[in-house]
Amino acid sequence: MINSILLVDDENLFHLVFEDACSLLDITLTLEAISSSDEAEKRFKHYMEFPNDAQYHKPEVVFVDLNIIGSTFDGLELVNRINNLYGNGVVIGMISSSSDSAEIEKSKEYGAQFWIVKTDEIEPRLERFREDYEGYKNKTMGFKVYK
Amino acid sequence: MKKIEITDALQQTLIDLSKDRKIFLEGNICKVIDYEKGSDFGNYIEESIEIDKSKRRQRLEVTKDIQKKNIELVKKHDENDSLMKDLKVALSDAESAKAQALGDLDIMHKKTQFKLIGKIVHVALIIIISVGVVTTMLYAYAILYSSPETTLIGNTWSNVLGILLTNSFSIVGTIMGVKYASESKSD
């Protein structure tokens, strides 16, 4: 089971879907969902500056939506910043309704480890992700798209 | 992860609560409580987890349905917006076509008016010239054959020519006036 997950997605309804799916599949016990990439950036800045702060634990996995309405930058840029500015240290990937190959390629360049296509049937994809999780954690698993 | 141990008394209270009032523990807390499989409390926790899962499954379906409808609504809203834009463009086109048609109609009216005026002028000029020519010919004939009516015809000729000239200028004046009036109206 994954210790903790952070979901960055502007769609509040998807927060509920994701939370219920994770609970039903026993993927994690600790899930936090936030709606803005600016808020996520703030958190990662804090994790980097205060790594031993017991109040704020760095998540193990971060799922980032591509288009985050209401934020100053999109999900790809967030992945880029977490990987290149805030020291990474997490399994990070995209979760988006888009399956545009150019964007998928770009996310790979920015250091995303996976891309989950967000549709009605999210549970089977999350289940497959859970199976591959150890590989992502040990960096032995290559970039994968869950369609 | 270290699991939470619940005292026997609290275990019994929770079991009694579930039996009396159908109240169970909910959420991920059930997954972190230590229990012995097959025991009363173990059965209680497993039942709590099952109930929680069933509720979550139900909520997941409802949320997905709402999400789906929400996406459709957003799509329809976008379609409506696009249709409204098209309608606005069509309305604006129709308004300019109407203005163009009204302008054309006005020009046609003016054209008809000018044609009518032209005809009147034409006919008037023919009459004026014909009368002038006939009177002049009559006068010339009288002079040539030394008619006793020469003086009378000469006076008539001069009167007729005067009247014709006056009328000609009056027609030209009327035409200019009509033209000026229609130009001011269109401005």
Side-chain angles (χ1 to χ4, degrees):
Chain A
M1 196 183 275
I2 300 166
N3 248 342
S4 57
I5 290 177
L6 177 70
L7 170 71
V8 188
D9 193 310
D10 61 302
E11 201 187 337
N12 289 333
L13 270 176
F14 186 69
H15 290 186
L16 294 176
V17 171
F18 194 77
E19 192 193 322
D20 284 339
C22 284
S23 176
L24 283 170
L25 297 169
D26 280 332
I27 288 179
T28 187
L29 290 177
T30 313
L31 168 72
E32 254 198 291
I34 54 175
S35 318
S36 129
S37 52
D38 299 274
E39 170 65 19
E41 188 188 31
K42 243 188 239 173
R43 286 182 185 216
F44 273 87
K45 218 179 230 177
H46 186 86
Y47 301 143
M48 193 176 67
E49 285 167 3
F50 309 99
N52 298 318
D53 187 350
Q55 213 178 345
Y56 298 100
H57 287 293
K58 196 174 186 172
E60 272 189 0
V61 185
V62 186
F63 291 87
V64 184
D65 186 18
L66 181 63
N67 299 309
I68 309 166
I69 297 165
S71 300
T72 51
F73 52 92
D74 67 5
L76 284 175
E77 181 55 26
L78 178 64
V79 171
N80 185 30
R81 290 185 191 188
I82 289 173
N83 281 327
N84 299 311
L85 292 178
Y86 306 116
N88 186 275
V90 289
V91 170
I92 191 164
M94 306 296 295
I95 186 156
S96 168
S97 46
S98 161
S99 52
D100 181 71
S101 53
E103 312 236 65
I104 292 174
E105 204 48 47
K106 207 171 170 188
S107 77
K108 205 172 150 185
E109 281 168 27
Y110 283 170
Q113 291 172 273
F114 57 87
W115 184 292
I116 297 178
V117 179
K118 200 172 24 169
T119 60
D120 285 351
E121 289 308 307
I122 192 77
E123 297 99 303
R125 283 153 210 195
L126 284 176
E127 219 164 354
R128 272 157 50 211
F129 168 79
R130 187 182 53 184
E131 285 162 15
D132 297 335
Y133 171 65
E134 282 304 317
Y136 290 124
K137 200 176 169 185
N138 306 327
K139 310 275 179 197
T140 52
M141 179 91 189
F143 183 88
K144 192 171 173 181
V145 180
Y146 297 90
K147 278 187 183 173
Chain B
M1 182 189 281
K2 199 187 168 201
K3 293 222 165 181
I4 302 166
E5 281 178 21
I6 307 275
T7 61
D8 290 347
L10 187 54
Q11 284 183 15
Q12 196 52 51
T13 310
L14 287 169
I15 293 167
D16 291 343
L17 193 63
S18 71
K19 281 179 183 164
D20 296 342
R21 304 190 59 187
K22 300 271 172 217
I23 296 173
F24 290 85
L25 281 174
E26 283 181 17
N28 285 340
I29 190 83
C30 303
K31 294 174 186 171
V32 292
I33 290 174
D34 192 29
Y35 67 91
E36 194 184 314
K37 276 200 170 179
S39 67
D40 284 350
F41 188 63
N43 293 339
Y44 163 80
I45 289 292
E46 278 166 8
E47 197 180 348
S48 299
I49 290 172
E50 266 320 300
I51 290 170
D52 184 59
K53 273 193 175 174
S54 145
K55 277 184 185 169
R56 275 184 190 272
R57 218 167 278 133
Q58 212 175 343
R59 193 175 75 162
L60 184 62
E61 288 314 310
V62 173
T63 321
K64 274 182 183 175
D65 198 39
I66 293 171
Q67 202 188 14
K68 214 173 173 180
K69 281 178 184 156
N70 212 19
I71 290 166
E72 277 169 18
L73 273 176
V74 170
K75 258 187 199 168
K76 278 187 182 153
H77 182 261
D78 289 347
E79 276 172 19
N80 276 347
D81 272 358
S82 153
L83 277 174
M84 280 303 286
K85 272 181 197 163
D86 290 350
L87 269 176
K88 273 181 189 166
V89 170
L91 189 69
S92 155
D93 286 351
E95 270 170 4
S96 24
K98 186 187 164 190
Q100 176 78 31
L102 284 174
D104 289 350
L105 195 70
D106 196 38
I107 288 167
M108 268 176 66
H109 274 304
K110 277 180 188 164
K111 261 189 184 172
T112 323
Q113 246 175 3
F114 283 129
K115 267 185 189 167
L116 190 67
I117 292 167
K119 264 185 190 168
I120 292 167
V121 169
H122 200 69
V123 171
L125 278 175
I126 288 170
I127 292 168
I128 287 165
I129 291 165
S130 307
V131 171
V133 167
V134 168
T135 321
T136 307
M137 277 167 64
L138 203 65
Y139 188 35
Y141 180 81
I143 291 170
L144 202 67
Y145 293 97
S146 309
S147 168
E149 305 296 335
T150 308
T151 319
L152 182 69
I153 294 170
N155 287 340
T156 311
W157 178 81
S158 123
N159 275 341
V160 166
L161 225 64
I163 290 164
L164 291 180
L165 274 173
T166 316
N167 282 349
S168 300
F169 282 115
S170 166
I171 288 167
V172 170
T174 309
I175 291 164
M176 296 298 282
V178 168
K179 202 178 173 190
Y180 177 75
S182 29
E183 272 172 5
S184 314
K185 240 186 195 177
S186 64
D187 287 345

